């Protein structure tokens, strides 16, 4: 039977897992790190390489596990992705959610504001609420999400999606 009204949309997807990211890897010293404004400055991250996530050893899209590039000097990864929001007002009081896989020691930023941090790793894609109100970090037009992972030991990986949902 046909319905009389279109149901209210309660989820807006910005990007899915396995999407393309700008990224850079680093060694152990401050000289290997990107500029302080790496998470919002397109002139900085725009010069980095790109790859589809899963970024890291477990997905092998960045680090080549056959040569264990990480073990010979890479200590961190910085990843940046641009996404578009057309009407922040319509989703301003919705939560920002992610399905995220990280290993390990992650910090996530949206438009330069830290929205998530975790000191260890998870074992695959898990759901996390990044912010209670999307309007507190999003703007109309181009937005930037950034992640920094700092390797403690063992494997290394990063992937995430981003969506807004009405609670």
């Amino acid at each position: 039977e046909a319905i009389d009204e279109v149901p209210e949309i309660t989820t807006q997807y910005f990007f899915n897992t396995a999407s393309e990211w700008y990224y850079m890897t680093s060694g152990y010293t401050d000289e290997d790190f990107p500029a302080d404004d790496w998470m919002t400055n397109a002139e900085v991250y725009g010069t980095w390489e790109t790859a589809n996530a899963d970024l890291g050893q477990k997905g092998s899209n960045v680090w080549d596990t056959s040569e264990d590039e990480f073990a010979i000097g890479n200590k961190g990864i910085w990843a940046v992705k641009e996404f578009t929001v057309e009407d922040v007002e319509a989703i301003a009081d919705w939560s920002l959610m992610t399905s995220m896989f990280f290993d390990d020691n992650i910090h996530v930023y949206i438009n330069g504001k830290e929205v998530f941090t975790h000191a260890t790793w998870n074992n695959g894609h898990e759901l996390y609420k990044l912010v209670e109100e999307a309007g507190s970090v999003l703007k109309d037009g181009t937005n930037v999400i950034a992640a920094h992972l700092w390797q403690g030991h063992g494997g290394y990986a990063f992937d995430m999606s981003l969506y807004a949902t009405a609670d």
Side-chain angles (χ1 to χ4, degrees), residues 23 25 51-52 54-57 59-64 69 74 77:
Y23 74 92
T25 58
N52 284 31
D54 176 14
L55 304 177
Q57 175 198 28
S60 298
N61 285 344
V62 174
W63 287 303
D64 182 351
E69 182 181 335
N74 282 330
I77 185 166

Side-chain angles (χ1 to χ4, degrees), residues 57-163:
Q57 175 198 28
K58 294 176 180 174
S60 298
N61 285 344
V62 174
W63 287 303
D64 182 351
T65 58
S66 65
E67 296 183 20
D68 198 9
E69 182 181 335
F70 182 84
I72 58 172
N74 282 330
K75 186 65 175 170
I77 185 166
W78 286 260
V80 178
K81 180 171 191 57
E82 295 178 346
F83 63 98
T84 302
V85 178
E86 295 188 15
D87 186 4
V88 171
E89 187 175 333
I91 61 168
D93 61 348
W94 292 14
S95 297
L96 280 181
M97 303 290 295
T98 184
S99 172
M100 187 165 36
F101 177 31
F102 54 90
D103 187 356
D104 54 300
N105 302 313
I106 188 169
H107 295 265
V108 177
Y109 308 86
I110 297 178
N111 295 323
K113 182 176 180 181
E114 188 173 71
V115 295
F116 183 83
T117 186
H118 197 282
T120 59
W121 63 91
N122 65 8
N123 291 314
H125 285 89
E126 295 179 5
L127 296 176
Y128 298 93
K129 182 181 286 189
L130 299 178
V131 296
E132 293 285 335
E133 295 185 351
S136 68
V137 294
L138 297 179
K139 61 184 180 180
D140 287 332
T142 301
N143 289 260
V144 179
I145 189 162
H148 176 219
L149 289 85
W150 187 252
Q151 184 58 24
H153 64 280
Y156 31 91
F158 170 69
D159 189 14
M160 73 178 294
S161 64
L162 183 66
Y163 60 97

